[in-house]
Amino acid sequence: MSSHKGFGKVILFGEHFIVYGLPGIASAISDHTTATIEDSDRFEFIDNRPETPGYKQTKKEEIGRQLDALLRHFNILREGGSVRITLGGNLVCASGVGASAALATSIARAFNERLKLGLDDDEINKVAYMAEEAGSGKPSGIDNTCSVFGGFITFRKNLAGGPNKIEKLKVRPVEIVMGNTGISQETKLVVEDVKRRKEADEAWFEGIKKDYVDTYAKAVDAIKKSDWNAVGRLMDRNQELLRQIGVSCDELEKLIRIAKDNCAWGAKLTGTGRGGYMVALTPWKGLQEKVAAAMKAAGFEVLKTTIGG
Ligand code: MEV
């Protein structure tokens, strides 16, 4: 029996912009999905991951496409096959937290060990990306990179098709709260919609990209100096750009308002947007508890975790 992990992730800067080759900043979170593979007399897939209500149903086809791609890659037959794949772990599946990348990574790692393939992390990352692509179109690859390698990274997609540019950032552990809108979203649809808006007004989108590049450069500098006050302000600025490209929504805005009213240093949506999770920067335990309690009191589920470390 083999059981392996894929981490969840949080994007701090750059979702949607990274699709167009701009750099982003993300971190793995400690919450993870596990995949266990055992012998069985038939093919079985048991998904015991905790979820935001409705997530697995909404994502049924996407999960099926990912699983098919992974089975094809590892030459496992559904018909007449003889493995049971069981997913578990403490990552609550929802949009925005890298759940599909964690699924792909954990299953790839589990097959790697079961079949004694000796794949290293770069090779696991390629398999996880392939499964992500099968599930949801043309992802940037930031989710699977966080899920496989863990840690805190800057990421730039190589639009020409070569290796993506990844830099590890050394950051002491910093507390965050992730607020869950409870809405499951399809990344592919939201990415396509942003593309339509961009193509309808290239000059407008170029202006926003320029603002984003400036925000990103200042954010990297602030993170390197551990200036979390500045990081928080820049997260707010990134959120304003995400509003302008149309990927926020009422529930995300409500959570962001609660975070800011309770003294979070910065707050923005994370990942796909139009639902899913938001992230609030709360760089000490007391503040993290206060912001999380306020979100819970308003009826939202929260995830308290740390980035860096
Ligand atoms: C999804 O976690 C982040 C997006 O930028 C899409 C991608 O990077 O593939 C919206």
Side-chain angles (χ1 to χ4, degrees):
M1 186 170 88
S2 45
S3 174
H4 285 279
K5 277 185 193 175
F7 295 107
K9 68 90 184 50
V10 57
I11 298 180
L12 293 173
F13 292 91
E15 47 277 277
H16 290 285
F17 299 111
I18 46 188
V19 171
Y20 300 98
L22 300 184
I25 304 173
S27 172
I29 57 173
S30 52
D31 298 57
H32 57 269
T33 291
T34 57
T36 305
I37 301 183
E38 299 161 286
D39 293 332
S40 171
D41 54 4
R42 64 207 148 95
F43 176 78
E44 291 175 272
F45 176 64
I46 301 167
D47 191 348
N48 287 336
R49 293 175 297 166
E51 66 169 333
T52 271
Y55 174 88
K56 290 181 205 168
Q57 187 53 36
T58 309
K59 298 273 177 173
K60 201 168 168 216
E61 287 176 12
E62 188 179 320
I63 294 170
R65 287 195 299 274
Q66 281 194 294
L67 191 59
D68 280 343
L70 288 161
L71 295 176
R72 241 188 340 270
H73 182 83
F74 290 110
N75 287 318
I76 306 293
L77 299 175
R78 269 183 194 268
E79 295 307 314
S82 56
V83 291
R84 179 188 306 120
I85 303 173
T86 308
L87 296 184
N90 63 350
L91 180 68
V92 179
C93 299
S95 300
V97 76
S100 67
L103 173 150
T105 302
S106 61
I107 295 179
R109 284 199 188 288
F111 272 123
N112 179 40
E113 182 174 297
R114 181 181 172 86
L115 303 172
K116 299 189 177 23
L117 299 175
L119 303 179
D120 64 17
D121 278 355
D122 283 325
E123 289 162 321
I124 294 284
N125 200 25
K126 281 189 192 139
V127 177
Y129 181 74
M130 176 277 303
E132 281 278 88
E133 217 175 3
S136 61
K138 269 248 158 281
S140 63
I142 194 168
D143 290 14
N144 48 283
T145 302
C146 284
S147 188
V148 171
F149 295 101
F152 203 107
I153 58 167
T154 64
F155 176 95
R156 188 172 199 140
K157 185 174 175 59
N158 185 337
L159 294 183
N164 299 320
K165 197 167 167 219
I166 299 155
E167 187 194 348
K168 283 222 168 210
L169 296 180
K170 260 206 136 7
V171 173
R172 73 158 178 87
V174 175
E175 289 81 5
I176 58 167
V177 178
M178 296 178 72
N180 186 351
T181 61
I183 300 168
S184 298
Q185 206 28 281
E186 287 242 17
T187 302
K188 186 168 181 281
L189 298 183
V190 183
V191 168
E192 278 169 6
D193 192 44
V194 172
K195 184 163 175 256
R196 261 193 300 277
R197 288 169 187 233
K198 169 184 170 291
E199 285 171 356
D201 192 343
E202 293 285 357
W204 161 77
F205 200 77
E206 275 307 309
I208 294 180
K209 271 168 66 180
K210 240 176 111 194
D211 263 10
Y212 171 69
V213 168
D214 183 62
T215 306
Y216 167 84
K218 289 183 171 136
V220 173
D221 195 45
I223 289 167
K224 286 184 175 166
K225 290 181 183 145
S226 294
D227 182 354
W228 293 103
N229 231 308
V231 174
R233 282 195 305 276
L234 292 160
M235 285 169 68
D236 294 344
R237 187 169 161 202
N238 191 163
Q239 172 61 20
E240 179 47 38
L241 301 175
L242 291 164
R243 280 183 194 117
Q244 288 175 24
I245 64 170
V247 296
S248 196
C249 68
D250 291 349
E251 293 79 359
L252 283 165
E253 291 299 329
K254 187 167 177 193
L255 278 162
I256 289 166
R257 207 161 38 250
I258 293 171
K260 297 297 293 180
D261 287 350
N262 284 277
C263 306
W265 289 17
K268 62 180 276 294
L269 70 87
T270 182
T272 301
R274 294 196 189 155
Y277 272 99
M278 54 71 72
V279 54
L281 184 65
T282 53
W284 74 88
K285 269 254 163 274
L287 183 58
Q288 184 187 42
E289 290 299 335
K290 179 176 150 94
V291 170
M295 288 178 185
K296 274 194 200 154
F300 293 100
E301 292 206 351
V302 300
L303 197 161
K304 290 181 280 179
T305 189
T306 53
I307 47 176

